[in-house]
Amino acid sequence: MSDIFPLPAPPRLAIDGDSRTFPVSRIFCIGRNYADHAREMGATAEAIFFAKPASAITSATTLPYPTETNDLHHEVELVLALGEGGAIIASGTGVDLTKRDLQSDLKAKSAPWEIAKGFDASAPMGALRLGPPPANGSISLSVNGAMRQSGELEQMILPPQELLGQLGRYFVLKPGDLVFTGTPSGVGALEPCDTVAARIDGLPPLDFTLTERR
C-alpha cells in the first residue's frame, strides 16, 4: 500500500556547534507562566496550554508580515526541545507571534483562537543548544534597538520540569516536541519592517525582520 502523495519533510532547527539538526514534530505552548505578563493581559496567573502546528516554526531572518491582522504582538520565550522519553535534550530562544486583535475578537465570542496563534511562521526560532536549559538568567526582546521585554527565567511560575509534568498529564511527550515556556511582561505590537532581537542568557540569539504588508 502506498500514499497518494508524499508528505513534506518536517521543519528542522539547527543545533549550535553540531552538524545534526532537530526535526520538529509538535509545538506545545504555555500561557500565563509569568505573573507580570498575566497581570498585563488582565488574567490570573494560571498556566494554560495550547498548540501550534509544526509549520509555525521558522529560522528565516526575514518574515512576512501576516495577513488578517492589524495588531501583531511579540512574546519572547525559552523553548525546550525534547528527545527520547520526553526528556529535555536542548533549548533555544523563540518568539510566539500573535494576531492579538483576532485573538481578542475570538475570546469575546468564547471561540477557539488557534487561528490567531497557529499561522505559518508564527514561531521564529534561533539555533538550539544541547544540554539542560538555563535555570536562571535574563530573557529579553528589543524592537529596532529599543527594549520591550525584560525579565528573568526564574520568574516562571512553572519551571521546565514542573511544566513538563503538567503537560504530560494530557499528552505523551515524544522526540521532536518543542515546548514554549511562556513570556514575561512587555508584549506589544510589531509594525511592518520592524527588526526584532530576542535574547536569553546562555543560548544562541534570535534576530529577524518583518517585511512590508502583502
Side-chain angles (χ1 to χ4, degrees):
M1 184 179 295
S2 61
D3 296 330
I4 62 172
F5 55 82
L7 288 175
R12 288 176 164 80
L13 291 172
I15 299 174
D16 188 45
D18 198 300
S19 61
R20 298 171 295 174
T21 59
F22 182 91
V24 177
S25 174
R26 299 180 294 180
I27 306 170
F28 298 106
C29 305
I30 185 172
R32 306 177 187 173
N33 201 25
Y34 286 75
D36 54 357
H37 172 57
R39 283 192 294 270
E40 75 175 349
M41 299 301 292
T44 57
E46 177 185 1
I48 58 171
F49 294 108
F50 60 95
K52 289 177 178 265
S55 60
I57 287 293
T58 180
S59 298
T61 56
T62 301
L63 303 184
Y65 192 94
T67 60
E68 304 302 325
T69 185
N70 291 304
D71 194 21
L72 179 71
H73 277 211
H74 57 75
E75 301 182 10
V76 61
E77 309 201 18
L78 170 68
V79 182
L80 313 175
L82 307 188
E84 294 293 337
I88 302 169
I89 61 169
S91 57
T93 304
V95 171
D96 170 14
L97 294 175
T98 304
K99 297 178 180 180
R100 192 71 75 198
D101 46 357
L102 181 56
Q103 184 188 38
S104 296
D105 288 346
L106 292 167
K107 282 183 175 181
K109 300 173 184 176
S110 298
W113 35 265
E114 283 90 344
I115 58 174
K117 285 281 192 179
F119 52 96
D120 290 348
S122 63
M125 280 282 304
L128 297 173
R129 180 155 291 167
L130 294 174
N136 50 53
S138 68
I139 174 172
S140 65
L141 182 144
S142 63
V143 179
N144 302 326
M147 188 67 70
R148 291 276 191 87
Q149 292 185 262
S150 181
E152 301 292 327
L153 294 175
E154 54 265 39
Q155 294 172 334
M156 282 193 284
I157 297 169
L158 292 179
Q161 290 300 339
E162 289 186 38
L163 192 164
L164 294 185
Q166 292 284 342
L167 187 60
R169 295 168 54 192
Y170 307 102
F171 301 93
V172 176
L173 300 177
K174 299 178 181 180
D177 288 344
L178 293 176
V179 182
F180 279 62
T181 61
T183 194
S185 63
V187 302
L190 293 170
E191 299 295 334
C193 302
D194 277 350
T195 294
V196 176
R199 301 289 185 267
I200 296 176
D201 282 349
L203 295 178
L206 167 62
D207 298 277
F208 62 89
T209 299
L210 292 169
T211 66
E212 293 277 6
R213 293 180 190 271
R214 289 180 282 179

